[in-house]
Amino acid sequence: MESFGFHDGNIYDRLETRRFDFRQDVNHSLKMHSSLIRRLSLEKVMEGHQGCVNAVAWNSKGSLLISGSDDTRLNIWSHSSRTLLHSIDTGHSANIFCTKFVPETSDELVVSGAGDAEVRLFNLSRLSGRGSDDNVIPPSALYQCHTRRVKKLAVEVGNPNVVWSASEDGTLRQHDFREGTSCPPAGSSRQECRNVLLDLRCGAKRSLSDPPKQILALKSFDISSTRPHLLLVGGSDSFARLYDRRMLPPLSSCQNRMSPPPCVNYFCPMHLSERGRTSLHLTHVTFSPMGEEVLLSYSGEHVYLMDVNNASRSAMQYTSGDVSKLMSFTPILNGAELQSPVSNILPSCRTRKGNVATMLEKRRKLIKIAEKYLEEKSLEEATNCFYGIEACNEILDGCCRDIEPTLKHGCLCLRAALLLKRKWKNDAHMAIRDCYNAQRIDNSSFQALCHMSEALSQLGKHKDALDFAIAAQHLAPSNSKVAERVENVKKDLAAVEAEKINKANDGVPRSELRGGRILSLSDILYRSEANSDASQDGPRSEREDSDYDEEVELDFETSISGDEGHDVESNILHGSLNVRFHRRGDSPRESAGANGTCGSPSSSSQNDRISYQPEAVIDMKQRYVGHCNVGTDIKQASFLGQKGEYVASGSDDGRWFIWEKQTGRLIKMLLGDDAVVNCIQCHPFDSVVATSGIDNTIKIWTPSAPVPSIVAGGAEQPETADVLVAMENNQHKLCRNREAFL
């Protein structure tokens, strides 16, 4: 695609403003700029750990960097000299997953959380040596109240007395150094510790319409830097939760499991809210620097951006009913919908000033580029679609409010067609969004209906696809492509019905199945995924269509960087497997027991579902694709820049990716690890990024490449092929990935 500038303007113009506007801190605002990002290159590889580096964090001044590793050591690094200052043998008995500097302590206090379920506080002033010669120092505080791995720590700006820890035991705990240096106190049990701020052991939801029942194993947690009373948590389901600390009940013990407190907002992309897969979970959640947006990274999925303050406008909110309405045909009579439309899916954009004629010309040029890529037929179809989609994103997401309705409608239909042609994971769901919004602009559009039909076919929803195809044919009876679409859907539907009949004829009676046949692991894992495997990422088949009366819950925990260890050379994942069966209709307490699900013993699961009123959820406003997140559950997605103008994520292919936040356009791809990049932390002031992963090193990146480029090192040509090959391979990994193993 021809090069178009990014939305952060020309860097030379920004620098020039220093001569005219002394009130603007231009140096600070240029902490990250697209021209600097495109020159990012590896400056320094810092060695000092003997295991995977699972956590890195800067101090508030940016003068120090702290890292935690599988070797159970905390290392303190100098930013200016890029050298190791201190190495602490923490005494943890398992991998360190998180570490922080405690603010307002002159960077003397640091805290760590690990796989041994402990949180430890250390005073650096007690260190006697420097570098790797440091000896073991006793922790200043030791908190042993968690029962499972501590995956995330958080501190509050300006608060030197408190640290918060999120654990896979389903609790978020508040540790106040002023109240004691150990927990539990001597002579008491873990259950008596009154430091539970959030008890989410009955907080996980299998889908939006299901009530929370199971343990929400917390994977990530963040505190807003601008409004520190706001807490964001993510864990073992698909929903991130926003809580207001001022509205939470007093700190409690964990002797009794509590119902989850009401949260301010739920966050989840609409197409992930009703999957019902116990394996779908978040690996990282974070606030933007300004606190107005949140970033969610999913295992086996993409990275998504959402608004925090969107509830008042309800432009991006949806309920459980909206999910089915979006993909169901709404009859149209005399140009009017018979049903009210669902929540507006398309985000609103701020009006941008500029030369109207120039903007119109740019949009027309981008439309032509996208149309050219859609029409081209070659072996590089994914490449063509990628650049065509980026062209449409520039129009729709870059300045959508200024677009005239006809152009917007055409661009939505064009992007939907390109997404359906590319067929990356969830592209069909994104196409459905575009088709729906195109219909809202022009409900007599047969193109939107036709593309919607194809998207539903790719998702295995052939009956709904036929409804939309027939509706398109009514609007365009002489269009040959629409007629072909109708015939294709009818053939698909007939094939599915024939397959059902064949399976019914060849199937084994249920009584025999229950009577003695032992189910294989393949039966358990893959029987409900058959329909989705036939399509690119289709929905899970309904349980009532299953050949089994038992419901299966499977928990397979893998870790490349974890307690179980990993053989990188042989590419073998080690983990633990728990499989649980229970009859449909069993009460949660009867069926779960040790599994930790919650519910009323006197009410059945079905009654719980009937009485439960699902909350409204805030939907995505941007998606970032290209990376792969399936191998580790500590993979971060981070904001870069003073105002979070860019988004970065690690990947299982050893690379890390940077996108423009507003449009989702890829800016940079860098090779950062021999196996997996997990952590990405931007310096608080400088144009510097620290990354880490499976390697034993920390890598420091600065804009030092001689030539701006989308790939590492400033390569001039060719670069496009390398980027798209890497992204294609990552998409294949996501689509091949069996989500039960995440």
Side-chain angles (χ1 to χ4, degrees), residues 655-674:
R655 296 178 174 89
W656 61 289
F657 295 75
I658 306 175
W659 300 271
E660 185 180 39
K661 183 186 73 175
Q662 185 174 348
T663 64
R665 180 178 171 186
L666 183 68
I667 302 179
K668 192 74 172 178
M669 181 186 77
L670 298 132
L671 185 61
D673 196 278
D674 287 338

Side-chain angles (χ1 to χ4, degrees), residues 257-315:
R257 296 194 174 188
M258 309 292 292
S259 298
C263 63
V264 177
N265 279 324
Y266 280 91
F267 302 93
C268 182
M270 183 186 287
H271 59 280
L272 301 182
S273 64
E274 294 289 354
R275 292 292 182 93
R277 291 171 176 153
T278 56
S279 58
L280 181 63
H281 68 272
L282 288 153
T283 64
H284 192 71
V285 297
T286 186
F287 284 101
S288 66
M290 307 302 290
E292 298 175 350
E293 297 167 314
V294 295
L295 204 59
L296 276 57
S297 180
Y298 285 90
S299 177
E301 269 291 335
H302 305 298
V303 175
Y304 297 92
L305 179 73
M306 287 142 186
D307 273 329
V308 172
N309 304 319
N310 204 68
S312 60
R313 301 195 305 270
S314 69

